[in-house]
Amino acid sequence: MEASADVWPPCQESHLLIVGLGLIGGSLAAALRQSGFKGRISACDPNPSEIALGINLGLIDSGGSQLTELLDGVSMVVLAVPVLAMESVMSTLSAALHRASEHVVITDVGSTKATIRDCAVRTFGEMPPAMVLGHPIAGSEKSGVAAANAALYINHKVILTPEPTTDSDALTRVEALWRAAGADVLQMSVERHDQVLARTSHLPHLLAFSLVDTLARQDERLEIFRYAAGGFRDFTRIAGSDPVMWRDIFIANRDAVLSSLDDFEAGLARLRQAVESGDSDTLIATFDRASHARHYFDTLLNKTSYQAEYHMQPHGKVTYRVQPGGQAQGRLRVPGDKSMSHRSIMLGALAEGVTEVKGFLEGEDSLATLQSFREMGVAIEGPHQGRVTIHGVGMHGLKAPAGPLYVGNSGTAMRLFAGLLAGQAFDSELTGDESLTKRPMGRVADPLRLMGATIDTAEGGRPPLRIKGGAALKGINYDMPMASAQVKSCLLLAGMYAEGETRVREPAPTRDHTERMLNGFGYSVSREGDTCWLQGGGKLTAGPIDVPSDISSATFFLVAAAITPGADITLEHVGINPTRIGVINILSLMGADLTLENEHEVGGEPVADIRIRYTPLKGIDIPVDQVPLAIDEFPALFIAAANAQGKTRLRGAEELRVKESDRIQAMADGLAILGVEHTVVEDGIDIVGNADDNVASYGGGRIDSLGDHRIAMAFAIASLRANEEIIIDDCANVATSFPDFVALAQHIGMRVSVEGANDA
Ligand code: S3P
């Protein structure tokens, strides 16, 4: 599915003929009128009173009931008749158009596309290049031109299903027509359209018709409806729709409807069984999955979701505008740690018993992990304000998901899942978004294969990953070629399902949340020096998890305070695991005034409040041993470097090139726009700071975050010391790790505003 670019020519049809003046055709006329459409609009309808009403309402200029008489001078014909009436309309049209101008574009609004295409091929002898089939996903249970509504298509989708032979000019004109009516236009194949619509529209209509009919028959006097309240009303509204139109749709889209009905019946049978046997886990799991899927659907509709932005607006419409200057003051608590949030769900799902999680990050990355476990049959309640309850299914209790598991933007989810799924009895597939699809997965697939797993990747070891179930895994002794907590964690998770011992040696210390949390769940992981190991065949026991604030999110505010004269910020309850505190060490080496307060431990992880006050920074050579300990913090640290006195030199950081973007290049490109002197090398960068308390450190400009959350947030913080506005494009992805970022940035005194989110 593809959304089209933003700038479109206006609709310049000279004469539009709508065949079938009902709700859909009438609303199109009304919408065009309201958009200032200059052309003529006429209509053909067998019912003269609909035509008269259309003229009276000012929707059409003229009309009649004989199609052949209405075609003179027409530039575009919109077929808005019921699906089964298409055949006769098209034959009339085909005969008449042989005599008329060849430049007439034909489109339709039918709810199924394969039958209409077949009909066109039958009547025209081929699919005419000037015919563009389409389907507005909008409507109402009302019918007739009297119900015409000029706003019916605003922000609704119209799906066009062009053929390879479709004339591109005709396609552009039909697209312009719907855009003038206020719709978002998408394209997909006829086959995909019919399958998607069978599930999202036809099946729900069938169910609504059936439920109302069943109840009405059971109670001939319709007495029961007197007591039917909101639930009945909401579920059955569409049963009031036009019967002829729907009969046609079910006849036309028979096969796709039958297959969606089979799936539905199987689901219903599972629920029936659960109700009958009082199977509370299945009921809660099903309802919880559905309830969250429904909320997710709402966020798609409201465009509040990164996933929605990704799927529907491939160009990432969310833009930050940050005014130069501002303050960095106050106490704040940033959301929960992303790494621990992922792991809490994974281990909680595989544990025996119920795991209660507090402080869970409700970002889209960790939510993708949570959703994936729901799809594997785990009952999960929440998240509600960071609280999640996971009903563990035990090491062997996961069920095969119905389709590929989609983990969005999250490298951590994909790599950790790879290990965990390699140990399952069922086949699975992992997919992700465009950024994730470019990231290397050979680093986990290769050692998993050494353990005996069968994993297919796309070319170059990229996603999707296809993992064969039922493999007999064997423990290995693995010397990691790169310092990666994700690879280490992947192998430890697979190691739980392997025979014997799995040992991983890391070339430099990486975050050890997996080891700590496994031990917390009673699964023993040992460590000596640079190597950790576990024995396969153990089990996990549920327990409470308190996720501290994410030091990677806190970093943006640490840097904000470190570069802003007069700043004083305290970040509460931040995780200060020794494998994560590279940023504290590096900022301290640069001279930052940073203190830890209220240090204590929660659930096996150290936490503290971090207070940071402004004092001038100096450039340093970043110690190479700090690189893995600050791997996610470099975009923000580059901004610190741009505000330090002298040169900051980073080496040994080639891993930055394979994060959500190539972070060395993405940051260098942004720094160049701001006018910050720097030199890029393969594994790092030199940045020359230009610090002076009394003047700005650099200019402003428009920066592309390349859909990378940390690049977006880093340049937002940079504006505290810019002399002009910084505009950052493609920021929807901030929701993957830090959904409240903008609100907290405003809270400390930054002047940031957001464009493009919720602009439905
Ligand atoms: C993570 C490990 C790091 C980090 C990522 C989260 C984890 O990646 O960059 O954001 O949760 O294990 P690598 O282990 O690949 O360096």
Side-chain angles (χ1 to χ4, degrees), residues 338-339 343 412 415 443 483-486 511 631-632 655 659:
K338 181 147 73 84
S339 294
R343 288 157 171 85
T412 306
R415 295 192 179 117
R443 55 178 59 196
S484 167
Q486 295 179 355
R511 65 191 70 190
I631 193 70
D632 292 337
E655 277 294 303
K659 293 295 177 188

Coordinates of all heavy atoms in Angstrom, one line a residue, residues 338-339 343 412 415 443 483-486 511 631-632 655 659, ligand 1:
K338 N 14.1 1.4 28.1 CA 13.6 0.6 27.0 C 14.1 -0.8 27.0 O 13.3 -1.8 26.8 CB 14.0 1.3 25.7 CG 13.5 0.6 24.4 CD 13.3 1.6 23.3 CE 14.5 2.3 22.8 NZ 15.2 1.4 21.7
S339 N 15.4 -1.0 27.3 CA 16.0 -2.3 27.3 C 15.3 -3.2 28.3 O 15.0 -4.4 28.1 CB 17.5 -2.3 27.6 OG 18.1 -1.6 26.6
R343 N 12.7 -6.7 28.0 CA 13.1 -7.9 28.7 C 12.1 -8.3 29.7 O 11.8 -9.5 30.0 CB 14.5 -7.8 29.4 CG 15.6 -7.8 28.3 CD 16.9 -7.1 28.8 NE 18.0 -7.2 28.0 CZ 18.3 -6.4 26.9 NH1 17.5 -5.4 26.6 NH2 19.4 -6.6 26.2
T412 N 16.3 -4.3 19.1 CA 16.4 -5.1 20.3 C 15.4 -6.2 20.2 O 15.6 -7.4 20.5 CB 16.2 -4.3 21.5 OG1 17.1 -3.2 21.5 CG2 16.4 -5.1 22.8
R415 N 16.3 -8.9 17.6 CA 17.4 -9.8 17.8 C 17.1 -10.7 19.1 O 17.5 -11.8 19.1 CB 18.7 -8.9 18.0 CG 19.0 -8.2 16.7 CD 20.4 -7.5 16.8 NE 20.7 -6.9 15.5 CZ 20.9 -5.6 15.3 NH1 20.8 -4.8 16.4 NH2 21.2 -5.1 14.1
R443 N 24.4 -11.0 12.5 CA 25.1 -11.1 13.8 C 24.4 -12.0 14.8 O 25.0 -12.5 15.7 CB 25.4 -9.7 14.4 CG 24.1 -8.9 14.5 CD 24.3 -7.5 15.1 NE 25.2 -6.7 14.3 CZ 25.8 -5.6 14.8 NH1 25.5 -5.2 16.1 NH2 26.6 -4.9 14.1
A483 N 30.9 -5.7 20.3 CA 30.4 -5.6 21.7 C 28.9 -5.3 21.5 O 28.5 -4.2 21.2 CB 31.1 -4.4 22.4
S484 N 28.1 -6.3 21.6 CA 26.6 -6.1 21.5 C 25.8 -6.9 22.5 O 25.8 -8.1 22.6 CB 26.2 -6.6 20.1 OG 24.8 -6.7 20.0
A485 N 25.1 -6.1 23.3 CA 24.2 -6.7 24.3 C 23.1 -7.4 23.7 O 22.5 -8.4 24.2 CB 23.7 -5.6 25.2
Q486 N 22.7 -7.0 22.5 CA 21.6 -7.6 21.8 C 22.0 -9.1 21.4 O 21.2 -10.0 21.5 CB 21.1 -6.8 20.6 CG 20.5 -5.5 21.0 CD 20.1 -4.6 19.8 OE1 20.3 -5.0 18.7 NE2 19.5 -3.5 20.1
R511 N 25.7 -3.8 28.1 CA 24.6 -3.8 29.2 C 24.3 -5.2 29.6 O 24.2 -6.1 28.7 CB 23.4 -3.0 28.7 CG 22.7 -3.5 27.5 CD 21.7 -2.5 27.0 NE 22.4 -1.4 26.4 CZ 21.8 -0.3 26.0 NH1 20.5 -0.1 26.1 NH2 22.5 0.7 25.4
I631 N 26.6 3.8 24.1 CA 26.4 3.6 22.7 C 25.2 4.4 22.1 O 25.2 4.9 21.0 CB 26.3 2.1 22.3 CG1 26.5 1.9 20.8 CG2 25.1 1.4 22.8 CD1 27.8 2.3 20.2
D632 N 24.1 4.4 22.9 CA 22.9 5.1 22.4 C 22.9 6.6 22.7 O 22.0 7.4 22.3 CB 21.6 4.5 23.1 CG 21.4 3.1 22.6 OD1 21.9 2.8 21.5 OD2 20.7 2.4 23.4
E655 N 29.9 0.9 15.4 CA 28.5 0.4 15.6 C 27.4 1.4 15.4 O 26.3 1.1 15.1 CB 28.4 -0.2 17.1 CG 28.9 -1.6 17.2 CD 28.0 -2.6 16.4 OE1 26.8 -2.7 16.7 OE2 28.6 -3.3 15.6
K659 N 22.8 1.7 13.6 CA 21.7 1.9 14.5 C 20.5 2.3 13.6 O 20.4 2.0 12.4 CB 22.0 3.0 15.5 CG 23.1 2.6 16.5 CD 22.7 1.4 17.3 CE 23.8 0.9 18.3 NZ 23.4 -0.3 19.0
Ligands
S3P1 C1 20.3 -2.7 23.5 C2 21.6 -2.8 23.1 C3 22.3 -1.9 22.3 C4 21.5 -0.5 22.2 C5 20.1 -0.7 22.0 C6 19.5 -1.5 23.1 C7 19.6 -3.8 24.3 O1 22.5 -2.4 21.0 O2 22.1 0.2 21.2 O3 19.4 0.5 21.9 O4 18.5 -3.5 24.8 O5 20.2 -4.8 24.4 P1 23.8 -3.3 20.7 O6 23.7 -4.4 21.7 O7 23.5 -3.9 19.3 O8 24.9 -2.5 20.8

